[in-house]
């Protein structure tokens, strides 16, 4: 049974250094045209249309954190730091020293299992604060290399990769492109998932192709999902329980693009919460808070537009 060790690094010898590096390096992430911040950002795909003879495909890295090659990653990050003109505003350390400290963080992942000490010798630790940034930076570099060297595809656009080839040949080239990205780095391997009946899961969303070529998004749940949540009668702080409601309702609002689907999703969420004894007052309290935040956000957006359009 293959296992990936997920070990909390809180209190470990390199934890504070990793937190510091995460703040120093985070501005480097997201500089590509295809960067997706979160599910809300991705849900913007609903504004796009697809042709009848085009297909949806997603590629996913297998075991990304534990597969990232540390040596290559350090070289990529050092190059980015060396050309970052704002680095001195975030740290007094040079690019060389930041890279050296990062190397110590990535190569000092010790943990104990069954009384035996182990050292992770490949990839980034899944419990380190700096690992997500390290993986993002390497995959952005990988993506740029993959798209620039693809032998049969020209890829462009934003939010998603758009294949600029004859649509009749698309299915053949999809497999070719997957083979191509799997040939670039022996440590990084991709799986491929194609749409099923016009639907493809990505992040927390199901992207659905409509008959007219427009898209809609709904909340995605894995087949193993059981709607099991923290019981309201448990001895947890009330804020944790309200957080469960808030998270589920926010996800529904952010991800679900069709009003009818949203109504059904909220009904599903409330039914699941009722099973775990969540009272109506708690749900209403969270809904009122979310509506208030949404109204404040609209006002800020409106104020910004007014200030830009005003003449003094």
């Amino acid at each position: 049974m293959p296992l990936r060790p997920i070990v909390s690094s809180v209190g470990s010898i390199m934890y504070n250094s990793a937190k510091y590096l995460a703040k120093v390096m985070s501005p480097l992430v997201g500089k590509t045209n295809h960067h997706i911040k979160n599910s809300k950002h991705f849900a913007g795909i609903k504004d796009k249309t697809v042709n009848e003879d085009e297909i949806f495909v997603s590629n996913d890295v297998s075991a990304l954190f534990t597969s990232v090659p540390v040596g290559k990653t350090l070289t990529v990050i050092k190059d980015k730091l060396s050309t970052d003109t704002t680095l001195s505003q975030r740290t007094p350390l040079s690019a060389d020293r930041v890279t050296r400290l990062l190397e110590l963080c990535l190569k000092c992942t010790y943990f104990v299992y069954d009384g035996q000490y182990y050292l992770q010798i490949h990839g980034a630790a899944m419990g380190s604060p700096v690992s997500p940034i390290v993986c993002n930076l390497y995959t952005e570099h990988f993506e740029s290399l993959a798209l620039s060297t693809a032998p049969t595809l020209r890829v462009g656009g934003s939010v998603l990769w758009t294949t600029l080839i004859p649509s009749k040949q698309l299915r053949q080239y999809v497999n070719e492109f997957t083979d191509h990205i799997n040939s670039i780095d022996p440590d990084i391997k991709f799986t491929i998932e194609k749409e099923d009946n016009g639907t493809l899961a990505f992040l927390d969303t199901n992207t659905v192709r409509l008959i007219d070529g427009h898209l809609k998004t709904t909340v995605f749940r894995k087949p193993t999902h059981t709607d099991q949540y923290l019981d309201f009668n448990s001895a947890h702080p009330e804020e944790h329980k309200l957080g469960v409601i808030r998270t589920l309702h926010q996800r529904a609002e952010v991800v679900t693009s069709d009003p009818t689907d949203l109504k059904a999703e909220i009904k599903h969420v409330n039914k699941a919460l009722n099973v775990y004894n969540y009272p109506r007052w708690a749900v209403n309290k969270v809904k009122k808070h979310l509506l208030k935040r949404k109204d404040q956000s609209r006002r800020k957006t409106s104020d910004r537009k007014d200030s830009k359009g005003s003449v003094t």
Side-chain angles (χ1 to χ4, degrees), residues 227-246 248 270 272-286:
D227 276 332
Q228 184 173 356
Y229 302 111
L230 178 67
D231 196 299
F232 198 83
N233 292 330
S234 65
H236 285 73
E238 183 179 291
E239 182 56 33
H240 291 184
K241 301 164 189 176
L242 296 179
V244 172
I245 305 172
R246 183 167 53 250
L248 294 175
N270 289 339
L273 292 174
N274 186 58
V275 172
Y276 290 94
N277 304 302
Y278 282 77
R280 174 54 55 183
W281 68 261
V283 175
N284 289 340
K285 181 177 181 179
V286 171

Side-chain angles (χ1 to χ4, degrees), residues 21 277 288:
L21 289 175
N277 304 302
K288 184 178 180 180

Side-chain angles (χ1 to χ4, degrees), residues 114-309:
D114 198 22
Q116 179 69 43
Y117 279 85
Y118 293 88
L119 170 66
Q120 182 173 333
I121 60 175
H122 189 73
M126 297 184 72
S128 171
V130 79
S131 291
I133 295 170
V134 166
C135 292
N136 275 329
L137 289 174
Y138 183 74
T139 50
E140 287 180 4
H141 164 77
F142 182 99
E143 178 192 61
S144 176
L145 181 61
L147 300 186
S148 64
T149 58
T152 54
L153 296 182
R154 291 184 298 117
V155 185
S158 58
V159 180
L160 73 166
W161 294 346
T162 305
T163 51
L164 307 177
I165 56 176
S167 55
K168 291 183 180 179
Q169 304 173 29
L170 187 56
R171 295 179 187 275
Q172 170 193 342
Y173 284 126
V174 161
N175 293 327
E176 272 194 37
F177 184 70
T178 302
D179 290 340
H180 166 65
I181 59 179
N182 277 332
S183 69
I184 293 176
D185 189 322
D187 295 308
I188 303 296
K189 298 300 177 184
F190 288 81
T191 59
I192 182 172
E193 183 178 354
K194 300 179 182 179
E195 64 177 287
D196 183 17
N197 293 324
T199 301
L200 183 67
F202 186 75
L203 296 178
D204 284 337
T205 72
N206 262 329
T207 301
V208 183
R209 175 208 300 265
L210 303 178
I211 296 176
D212 62 359
H214 287 84
L215 303 175
K216 72 172 183 177
T217 54
T218 61
V219 173
F220 170 69
R221 293 183 182 84
K222 293 182 178 181
T224 54
H225 183 78
T226 60
D227 276 332
Q228 184 173 356
Y229 302 111
L230 178 67
D231 196 299
F232 198 83
N233 292 330
S234 65
H236 285 73
E238 183 179 291
E239 182 56 33
H240 291 184
K241 301 164 189 176
L242 296 179
V244 172
I245 305 172
R246 183 167 53 250
T247 298
L248 294 175
H249 276 257
Q250 270 189 319
R251 183 175 68 167
E253 292 278 354
V254 164
V255 169
T256 312
S257 58
D258 181 80
T260 302
D261 291 334
L262 176 58
K263 185 177 179 179
E265 176 63 21
I266 294 296
K267 182 178 180 181
H268 176 95
V269 166
N270 289 339
K271 183 179 179 180
L273 292 174
N274 186 58
V275 172
Y276 290 94
N277 304 302
Y278 282 77
R280 174 54 55 183
W281 68 261
V283 175
N284 289 340
K285 181 177 181 179
V286 171
K287 288 173 66 176
K288 184 178 180 180
H289 176 70
L290 292 176
L291 286 172
K292 183 178 179 180
R293 284 178 54 183
K294 187 182 295 186
D295 184 55
Q296 290 174 341
S297 179
R298 288 198 193 101
R299 289 181 182 179
K300 288 181 180 179
T301 302
S302 178
D303 290 344
R304 283 197 295 268
K305 289 181 180 179
D306 289 343
S307 64
K308 288 181 180 179

